[in-house]
Structure formats: structure tokens, C-alpha cells
Amino acid sequence: MKGNKLEGKLEMSMSNGSSMTRGSGEVFDVLIIGSGPAGLTSAIYTTRAALSTVVIGGTSWGGQLMLTTEVENFPGFPEGIMGPKLMDKIRKQAERFGAIIVLEDVEKVAFKNVGEFSAWAGNKEYKARSVIIATGAQTTWLGLPNEQKLIGRGVSSCAPCDAPFFRDKNIIVIGGGDSAMEEALVLSRFAAEVAIVHRRDEFRASKIMQEKVSKDPKIKLLLNREIVDVIGEVRVVGVKIRDNKTKEVVEFPIDGIFVAIGHTPATNIFKGEIDLDEKGYIKVFDRTKTSVEGVFAAGDVHDYHYKQAVTAAAFGCMAALDVEKWLMEHK
Ligand code: NAP
């Protein structure tokens, strides 16, 4: 391990990813894959612990918050902060302590030799003694023509983040799993009315969650129905809903849409290198350890439950502390 304060300063100017001269040959103490709240928080901790750190952040760096508008529930910002602005601040904080941030996508990893890990990105090999995987998970969207352009303008995938913006509004939640039930229950505390739209007449959600929903007078169910488009130019004003039995399509005025049809963890490149669960999430043991010694995981890439920026950041902190300890023990 070596202190890298000065080197870090020299590298800051190239951390926009446009050019990068280090990497080949150098063995970093820590290689972090992913640059959302988990990855960059890990980097703040590892660099402050004087561990040389490279973050391979992806060509679209920053994670889910880069697609978010106002964030009101991240501690320290009483007036709220825009998602991209928050990520910019976290990135600057990591760079301040010397993290090298490479804006390339990792194409391949090699984790077979413990303590001699490699990742390839942008035709370069990055070597490190330890790894933190923080590649996150993407919301599964419906893929409707107007959906993407109205994200943050009435289309959301996070009730705990956005519910207060929908006070006394009419909202639909799409999905039939536990997430859809949970989102509806959170939203009903604020909204005038919440309709759960599900494509079948049977829910996949656990009985207990279904019971909670059935007891909530503000939640109604629209079964055997699918959204075929979102209506709105600057904000959501309605949806087109198809009845899957009659095939009839009707327009339905609405103020907000919460899509809760699942998440996809970004773990394709790790298949065959570490253990994943049946849904593709990284299996963790003892909080942040993966099936490979010296490789740790942080954030939504293993946590399908909380999925918050602040919990991802906290997992990033935990992984960094675990890496530090592991490196000390395996000098
Ligand atoms: P999920 O269980 O996979 O459910 C996804 C739902 O979305 C299904 O009902 C599915 O319909 C529907 N869906 C998928 N693609 C669709 C599409 N293109 N159009 C319309 N509907 C679509 O996912 P999840 O609810 O996110 O839960 C993921 C995991 O986290 C589960 O294991 C769950 O138990 C767990 N979880 C637990 C809690 C809790 O315990 N409080 C809370 C949240 C999540 P079909 O049923 O027709 O396939």
C-alpha cells in the first residue's frame, strides 16, 4: 500500500476520462467498478486511508441519481439538491483525496488469482490487489414511447424518493410484486388515490403485502390491464390503458406513474467470476464479502431491498473499511 496524495493531485486533471496515462503496469491497492453513491463513497474512504484507488466509472458515470431530478432525502441538503449535482459533489470529494476516475465501461474482469485482480476497460488493463464492485442495478422500465422523456416529470420508480411531490394527486403504480405493493403503500400516505395496475388477475406479491394493500382505503386495483402509453408533453397528464381481456384501450387522466416491475443488477461481466443469485444480484457474505476473497460488493448490485442513495453510500463505506482491513491482513 502506498500514499498517493501527490499522484492523486497530478491525476485529477485527467480524471474526466478523456485521456488516461496510468493504468497499464501499475498495481492499485483498490479497483472500484462503478461510480454511483456506493462506488464513489468507497473511493472517498479508501483514498483517505492512503490506498491507491482507481474507479472505473463507466461511460455514463454517476448511476441512478444522474436520471433523478430533485433529491430531498439525502442528509445534509435541507433545501434538496438535484441528483446530478449531488453526484458531481460526491465525485469531487473522491477526487480531492486522489481517486483516479476513469470514464470507460469495464468489458472483462479476471478474479481467479486472489490479490492479483484485473479489469479491462477502454483497451487497458487495470490491476489491483483488491476490488469493490459497485455497478448498481437499473430500474426495469416499461419501454413505452413517452416514458423516458417524462422521468422526473411524473414518471418515477422510487416512492420513498418522490412520494411527497404527489400530495393529494392521483397516481398509478405498475406491477404485481412486493415492490409494487410497497410503493403503493408509501404513496397512499400522500396521494388522493393510488391505483395498482397489473397485467394479470393474480399478484406475485407475498400474501402479507397483498393484505396490507387490501386494507388501505386509498388503494384500488386495476387488474388484467397494461399501460400502452404515457400522455403528456412537459408533465404526465394521463395514460392509455389496455384491458387485456377485451383489448379495449382507454385514456385515463393521472398525475403520476410509479413503475415497479423490477430491477436488473449490472452483473453480466461478473458471471463465472463470482457467485450471483438467481436474479443476478451478487451474493454477499458477512456484509460486503463476495465468494472471492479480496473482492467486495457495495450498493444496489447486491441490495435489492433498500435501494436508496444513502444506503448505497453506506454500503460503499462498509466495503471500503472491509477492504482496508483485508489489505492490512494480506500485505
Ligand atoms: P418481481 O417480484 O419480479 O415482480 C415484478 C412484477 O412486475 C410482476 O408482477 C410482473 O408481472 C410485473 N411485470 C414485469 N414486467 C412487466 C411489464 N413489462 N409490464 C407489466 N408488468 C410487468 O419484482 P419486485 O416486486 O421488484 O421484487 C423483487 C424482489 O424483491 C422479490 O423477491 C420481492 O419479494 C423482493 N421485495 C420484497 C419486499 C418486501 O418484503 N417488503 C419489497 C420489495 C421487494 P407478472 O407477475 O405477470 O410476471
Side-chain angles (χ1 to χ4, degrees):
M1 292 173 227
K2 62 191 176 54
N4 68 338
K5 263 195 174 147
L6 179 59
E7 286 169 354
K9 282 194 176 129
L10 292 172
E11 294 298 334
M12 272 158 56
S13 58
M14 62 177 71
S15 64
N16 64 4
S18 53
S19 64
M20 171 79 200
T21 53
R22 275 171 66 178
S24 307
E26 177 167 2
V27 180
F28 290 91
D29 292 322
V30 192
L31 164 72
I32 298 171
I33 308 177
S35 58
L40 292 179
T41 303
S42 300
I44 294 168
Y45 274 77
T46 56
T47 48
R48 288 192 78 254
L51 301 172
S52 62
T53 300
V54 62
V55 180
I56 308 189
T59 44
S60 314
W61 76 279
Q64 297 285 296
L65 280 188
M66 299 302 269
L67 308 172
T68 311
T69 50
E70 195 167 11
V71 179
E72 289 189 326
N73 55 5
F74 200 91
F77 299 94
E79 313 302 330
I81 182 167
M82 297 304 274
K85 180 89 186 151
L86 174 57
M87 287 317 302
D88 201 47
K89 281 178 178 286
I90 299 176
R91 174 176 169 176
K92 285 201 174 84
Q93 198 173 347
E95 286 175 329
R96 177 182 159 205
F97 298 111
I100 297 166
I101 299 175
V102 180
L103 302 188
E104 298 281 359
D105 295 320
V106 172
E107 292 127 23
K108 198 173 84 159
V109 297
F111 293 164
K112 295 280 187 269
N113 295 328
V114 171
E116 295 174 20
F117 303 113
S118 283
W120 287 263
N123 295 323
K124 284 199 179 112
E125 180 183 4
Y126 295 87
K127 297 181 186 170
R129 284 181 263 277
S130 67
V131 176
I132 297 174
I133 300 174
T135 45
Q138 265 104 42
T139 297
T140 309
W141 295 102
L142 292 162
L144 300 175
N146 269 330
E147 185 186 33
Q148 289 298 309
K149 84 166 190 199
L150 292 169
I151 291 173
R153 298 161 194 271
V155 175
S156 173
S157 65
C158 179
C161 317
D162 294 338
F165 299 122
F166 291 87
R167 202 175 285 276
D168 300 324
K169 305 277 186 201
N170 292 315
I171 302 168
I172 58 172
V173 173
I174 300 145
D178 280 331
S179 294
M181 305 298 127
E182 203 164 66
E183 297 276 291
L185 289 164
V186 171
L187 288 162
S188 84
R189 300 209 302 269
F190 297 86
E193 191 172 70
V194 181
I196 299 178
V197 178
H198 181 40
R199 61 185 176 186
R200 294 187 294 134
D201 57 5
E202 221 174 88
F203 286 122
R204 181 183 291 272
S206 55
K207 284 281 170 277
I208 185 163
M209 294 300 278
Q210 291 191 47
E211 263 169 42
K212 282 186 187 170
V213 160
S214 69
K215 284 183 190 152
D216 190 320
K218 279 198 200 168
I219 302 177
K220 68 175 185 181
L221 308 178
L222 293 176
L223 301 179
N224 291 310
R225 286 181 177 84
E226 264 176 87
I227 308 299
V228 291
D229 205 2
V230 184
I231 308 167
E233 278 308 312
V234 276
R235 275 203 66 78
V236 170
V237 293
V239 284
K240 289 183 185 170
I241 299 190
R242 182 180 58 220
D243 185 316
N244 281 342
K245 283 194 169 151
T246 63
K247 307 292 175 214
E248 188 191 5
V249 175
V250 293
E251 289 193 7
F252 194 79
I254 206 81
D255 304 305
I257 300 167
F258 283 75
V259 180
I261 62 169
H263 286 79
T264 311
T267 52
N268 271 344
I269 49 168
F270 307 117
K271 276 181 190 157
E273 298 288 333
I274 53 170
D275 288 354
L276 308 176
D277 72 13
E278 67 283 358
K279 289 195 172 159
Y281 288 91
I282 293 178
K283 280 190 183 172
V284 287
F285 313 89
D286 201 6
R287 292 180 292 274
T288 65
K289 293 176 184 165
T290 71
S291 56
V292 176
E293 237 204 296
V295 177
F296 298 77
D300 293 7
V301 75
H302 72 79
D303 163 41
Y304 58 76
H305 193 80
Y306 297 104
K307 296 180 290 197
Q308 300 299 300
V310 70
T311 52
F315 276 123
C317 159
M318 286 156 62
L321 295 176
D322 288 347
V323 156
E324 194 184 341
K325 185 165 176 277
W326 187 84
L327 285 170
M328 296 266 281
E329 288 167 0
H330 298 82
K331 261 183 189 159

